[in-house]
Amino acid sequence: MNNGRFARESCKIIRSSEGATTIDINDVFRYLERDLCAVERALASNIKSAAPLIPVVGKHITMSGGKRIRPALLLLCSDACGYRGPRRIVMSVVTEYIHTATLLHDDVVDMGTVRRGKPSANMVFGNSVSILVGDFLFARASQLMIDDGDINVHKIYAKAVVSVTEGEVLQLTKTRDGGITEKQYFDVICRKTASLIAAASETGAALAGADQRIRKALSGYGRCVGMAFQLVDDILDYAGTEKKLGKRPFQDLREGKITLPLLHALQNVSAVERKRAQKVLAEKERGERDIAFLAGLVDRNGGKEYTASRADDFIRRGKRYLLELPASEARDALAVLSDYMVSRTS
Amino acid sequence: MNNGRFARESCKIIRSSEGATTIDINDVFRYLERDLCAVERALASNIKSAAPLIPVVGKHITMSGGKRIRPALLLLCSDACGYRGPRRIVMSVVTEYIHTATLLHDDVVDMGTVRRGKPSANMVFGNSVSILVGDFLFARASQLMIDDGDINVHKIYAKAVVSVTEGEVLQLTKTRDGGITEKQYFDVICRKTASLIAAASETGAALAGADQRIRKALSGYGRCVGMAFQLVDDILDYAGTEKKLGKRPFQDLREGKITLPLLHALQNVSAVERKRAQKVLAEKERGERDIAFLAGLVDRNGGKEYTASRADDFIRRGKRYLLELPASEARDALAVLSDYMVSRTS
């Protein structure tokens, strides 16, 4: 059952003995170990269903070694605001179920074949099952929130899910559209990725009964690190290998998704190159030569470097929000976790 | 905007002047006219989104002349329990959005091409858009319930959505399985269809602040008429024409869905015929000759008649639940509406 990243290690808290400013990401994960173990157990126990296939599919995707970044953020935000009770575990499960539901649906939408180095659920179980199990997870998340009974927290997540679906639809609308602006791109990734991460962070504050100022600060922090997280994801699509990424590189290009590395490059190329790029992008499918041409534009025009610098900006902005919180080990851990989110290579 | 079945007529209540026992379905629709007009308006106004494609798709399906059976039941149940306030309109919209979301996802799952005589949303906008707009509608329904603020009502719907998805997954698991039992079939349709109709009916009682006995009675009523509704749907697949149904007949057979008309027939055929039927059903696709063979089995073995008699049983059981309510025009209307639900020919 406990096949998650953190659950493989033994379940005990080892608080870092070093000073707060010197902790690294391993200390953060050790600090969270017991709570993340509890999250793993709750992820498995809440997926029971009258349809035996549902937990099978649910476990295939929730137990496939995801990073549990959202639960980690929620746990630390809550902790930094002074709450360490059991509702953090429930809301971590809610966040992860919603995230998993969006992944299941995304893989159908994008016709994904590989996720985290394994065949994606739609490849193993079919599109229909992925759609329905995604729906189940959304609904189960609602049930957990209703049982939790805090309408304010429920409101945060309902808004986030609306935002995620809007972001995905906007992204679809802009597929193969070489005219997408940076503003539109940022709007898409803010909705589709950052909004749920912001919801998880804000929920940490809400569980602690923090005031509006702190809630807003942690929502802002989550939104910034969420933006940075997606920017790094978009860089990795141009930079990684299949082995490292757990999926094929240039997947966004294949799907006609125009992300910041290419968007930036297109602003700096010659008119002739831009025209050729727009033409290639507008086509229904792109061959390997087209992909190589577009990837070359990104390489020669600093697309990845520009995107990385924007990710760094967001992390800096995110960390500034943390100054609204009182100093604590958890607050330092949040700073370390945000650095980790832009340093990842898969 | 107001293209729904009831909204085409002018918006005023004409209460039936006849005695309660002599009202017919037209009187019921006239009685509900003003409320259903309000529901139509609210269906359109709540679908606004930052992604302009969402209301376009939402209107394509919500405004395509659906019968609004669920809102009608909710309005009448609420009325019969003594509540006629604005929350009925909100919860009618919630019910219809959830229903619409399941239709959008169903059409992707079943690869549907026609719904209500028009190309289905997945045909017009693609599977991806249908999946995402379905997700949006689920989330928007949650937002409406959160704004409404009644956790008990929210609980009813969250449970219903879990049940619907479980029913759909169980149905998928049993596709092309000639060994499905009547009990398993009834479990599937109870979850996938009756549970949301039961939720709408129970919500009517909950809005009125009715006690547990009445809530249970109306939930039971909704479940029974929901079962009957699905049974009639399953008969129509064997009995209708494309023009009447708004979709191709024998669609269930084509998809390998074994419903009660065939299930009953299979219990009465010779061993040789059963073996052939099982073989044909187990195949990935069925040709027109196979379809004709299976439809012939249903015809010769009273599959439709048996299913109709079971639908009648459910309607009778459903009406018995109504006796728990005090006598009223709305209660009589509920009885008439349940008869209408099994008399429909499309």
Side-chain angles (χ1 to χ4, degrees):
Chain A
M1 248 162 57
N2 292 325
N3 299 325
R5 182 183 177 117
F6 307 117
R8 278 193 294 272
E9 298 164 38
S10 64
C11 287
K12 53 186 176 177
I13 290 186
I14 306 167
R15 284 185 187 265
S16 165
S17 58
E18 276 88 43
T21 50
T22 62
I23 61 171
D24 68 14
I25 191 65
N26 295 316
D27 297 315
V28 173
F29 286 150
R30 270 196 293 276
Y31 176 76
L32 289 173
E33 204 173 9
R34 191 157 80 177
D35 289 328
L36 285 169
C37 282
V39 171
E40 293 296 328
R41 283 192 298 271
L43 281 170
S45 67
N46 283 293
I47 213 166
K48 290 196 184 98
S49 162
L53 184 58
I54 290 177
V56 174
V57 181
K59 282 181 192 173
H60 173 88
I61 185 159
T62 60
M63 306 295 154
S64 64
K67 292 174 213 71
R68 310 288 187 234
I69 289 290
R70 293 158 193 80
L73 282 170
L74 189 151
L75 291 165
L76 289 173
C77 286
S78 178
D79 199 348
C81 294
Y83 176 73
R84 292 194 47 81
R87 291 180 63 205
R88 290 178 315 147
I89 308 301
V90 177
M91 296 316 300
S92 292
V93 171
V94 164
T95 312
E96 205 64 6
Y97 279 173
I98 291 173
H99 171 56
T100 306
T102 65
L103 293 185
L104 282 167
H105 287 186
D106 272 8
D107 279 340
V108 178
V109 168
D110 297 340
M111 293 180 277
T113 55
V114 180
R115 182 168 289 278
R116 295 169 188 156
K118 296 203 310 184
S120 53
N122 53 319
M123 293 303 287
V124 181
F125 304 101
N127 283 345
S128 302
V129 170
S130 290
I131 295 169
L132 297 171
V133 176
D135 290 348
F136 174 88
L137 289 172
F138 277 131
R140 180 51 48 91
S142 279
Q143 284 190 309
L144 290 171
M145 285 187 276
I146 289 166
D147 289 343
D148 176 70
D150 186 341
I151 208 161
N152 287 315
V153 170
H154 208 153
K155 202 176 257 181
I156 295 170
Y157 281 97
K159 192 177 158 197
V161 177
V162 164
S163 190
V164 169
T165 61
E166 288 177 331
E168 298 275 357
V169 172
L170 286 169
Q171 178 171 271
L172 266 186
T173 317
K174 292 289 171 193
T175 300
R176 298 189 276 121
D177 175 358
I180 183 174
T181 65
E182 217 174 286
K183 189 167 175 284
Q184 288 168 330
Y185 164 82
F186 279 119
D187 183 42
V188 165
I189 68 166
C190 184
R191 289 174 190 277
K192 78 164 188 169
T193 305
S195 60
L196 185 59
I197 295 177
S201 304
E202 184 180 355
T203 296
L207 293 181
D211 62 25
Q212 272 302 321
R213 185 180 57 88
I214 297 289
R215 275 181 61 162
K216 264 188 134 167
L218 281 182
S219 171
Y221 162 79
R223 198 167 46 254
C224 285
V225 299
M227 295 295 281
F229 186 75
Q230 184 60 54
L231 288 169
V232 171
D233 213 59
D234 291 346
I235 296 170
L236 287 173
D237 195 53
Y238 283 92
T241 59
E242 177 151 356
K243 203 177 163 193
K244 253 180 155 178
L245 295 178
K247 62 177 184 180
R248 285 171 82 190
F250 307 125
Q251 197 50 37
D252 291 339
L253 276 186
R254 271 178 251 279
E255 291 164 20
K257 255 185 227 164
I258 298 151
T259 60
L260 194 56
L262 180 59
L263 199 48
H264 177 76
L266 288 179
Q267 285 162 4
N268 294 292
V269 296
S270 68
V272 175
E273 280 179 318
R274 188 179 304 120
K275 206 171 161 192
R276 182 175 161 201
Q278 308 267 24
K279 192 172 161 284
V280 164
L281 284 167
E283 277 162 21
K284 216 167 166 73
E285 285 185 10
R286 277 147 294 284
E288 289 308 309
R289 264 188 68 182
D290 297 332
I291 300 289
F293 162 67
L294 294 167
L297 291 185
V298 171
D299 275 344
R300 288 194 307 278
N301 291 281
K304 285 176 280 188
E305 294 75 9
Y306 173 75
T307 306
S309 78
R310 297 304 308 264
D312 285 339
D313 291 343
F314 276 112
I315 291 298
R316 260 194 301 277
R317 277 175 56 189
K319 281 182 182 169
R320 276 204 297 275
Y321 281 113
L322 294 179
L323 299 175
E324 299 280 333
L325 300 173
S328 71
E329 216 170 9
R331 189 184 77 169
D332 295 329
L334 282 169
V336 173
L337 189 59
S338 40
D339 286 334
Y340 168 72
M341 285 170 75
V342 281
S343 71
R344 73 200 173 99
T345 53
S346 71
Chain B
M1 251 163 56
N2 291 324
N3 300 323
R5 179 180 181 120
F6 308 116
R8 277 191 296 271
E9 300 163 38
S10 65
C11 287
K12 54 186 176 174
I13 289 185
I14 306 166
R15 286 188 184 262
S16 165
S17 58
E18 277 88 44
T21 50
T22 63
I23 60 170
D24 69 14
I25 191 66
N26 296 315
D27 298 315
V28 173
F29 286 150
R30 270 196 294 277
Y31 176 76
L32 289 173
E33 204 174 9
R34 190 157 82 178
D35 289 328
L36 284 168
C37 282
V39 171
E40 293 297 326
R41 283 192 298 273
L43 280 170
S45 67
N46 283 292
I47 213 164
K48 290 197 184 97
S49 163
L53 184 57
I54 290 177
V56 174
V57 181
K59 280 179 193 175
H60 173 89
I61 183 159
T62 61
M63 306 295 154
S64 65
K67 291 174 214 75
R68 309 289 187 233
I69 289 290
R70 292 157 194 79
L73 281 170
L74 190 151
L75 292 164
L76 289 174
C77 286
S78 178
D79 199 347
C81 295
Y83 176 73
R84 290 192 51 80
R87 292 180 62 205
R88 288 177 318 145
I89 307 302
V90 178
M91 296 315 301
S92 292
V93 171
V94 164
T95 312
E96 206 63 5
Y97 279 175
I98 291 174
H99 172 56
T100 306
T102 65
L103 293 185
L104 282 166
H105 287 186
D106 272 8
D107 278 340
V108 178
V109 168
D110 297 341
M111 293 181 277
T113 55
V114 180
R115 180 168 292 277
R116 295 170 188 156
K118 297 204 309 184
S120 52
N122 54 319
M123 293 304 287
V124 181
F125 304 100
N127 283 345
S128 301
V129 170
S130 290
I131 295 169
L132 297 170
V133 176
D135 290 348
F136 174 88
L137 289 172
F138 277 131
R140 180 51 49 92
S142 278
Q143 283 189 309
L144 290 170
M145 284 188 276
I146 290 166
D147 290 343
D148 176 69
D150 185 341
I151 208 161
N152 287 314
V153 169
H154 207 153
K155 201 175 257 181
I156 295 170
Y157 281 98
K159 192 176 158 197
V161 178
V162 164
S163 190
V164 169
T165 60
E166 289 178 330
E168 298 275 358
V169 172
L170 286 170
Q171 179 171 270
L172 266 186
T173 317
K174 292 291 171 189
T175 300
R176 298 190 277 121
D177 176 358
I180 183 176
T181 65
E182 219 176 283
K183 189 167 175 285
Q184 288 168 332
Y185 164 81
F186 278 118
D187 183 43
V188 164
I189 68 167
C190 184
R191 289 175 190 277
K192 78 164 187 170
T193 306
S195 60
L196 185 59
I197 295 178
S201 305
E202 185 181 354
T203 296
L207 294 181
D211 62 26
Q212 272 302 322
R213 186 181 56 90
I214 297 289
R215 277 181 60 161
K216 265 188 133 166
L218 281 182
S219 170
Y221 163 80
R223 198 166 48 253
C224 285
V225 300
M227 294 295 281
F229 187 75
Q230 185 59 54
L231 288 169
V232 171
D233 214 59
D234 291 346
I235 296 169
L236 287 172
D237 195 55
Y238 283 93
T241 60
E242 176 150 359
K243 203 176 163 195
K244 253 180 153 177
L245 296 178
K247 62 178 184 180
R248 284 172 83 192
F250 308 125
Q251 197 50 38
D252 291 340
L253 275 187
R254 271 179 252 277
E255 292 164 18
K257 255 186 227 165
I258 299 152
T259 59
L260 194 56
L262 180 58
L263 198 48
H264 177 76
L266 288 179
Q267 285 162 3
N268 293 290
V269 296
S270 68
V272 174
E273 280 179 319
R274 187 178 305 121
K275 205 171 162 190
R276 184 177 160 201
Q278 308 267 25
K279 190 173 163 284
V280 164
L281 285 167
E283 275 161 22
K284 218 167 166 71
E285 285 185 10
R286 277 147 296 283
E288 288 308 308
R289 262 187 69 184
D290 297 332
I291 300 288
F293 162 65
L294 293 168
L297 290 186
V298 170
D299 275 343
R300 288 194 307 279
N301 292 280
K304 285 176 277 188
E305 294 74 10
Y306 173 75
T307 306
S309 78
R310 297 305 306 264
D312 285 338
D313 291 343
F314 275 112
I315 291 299
R316 259 194 301 277
R317 276 174 56 190
K319 282 183 182 170
R320 275 205 296 274
Y321 281 112
L322 294 179
L323 299 175
E324 299 279 333
L325 300 173
S328 71
E329 218 170 8
R331 189 184 77 168
D332 295 330
L334 281 169
V336 172
L337 189 59
S338 40
D339 286 334
Y340 168 72
M341 285 171 74
V342 282
S343 70
R344 74 201 172 97
T345 53
S346 71

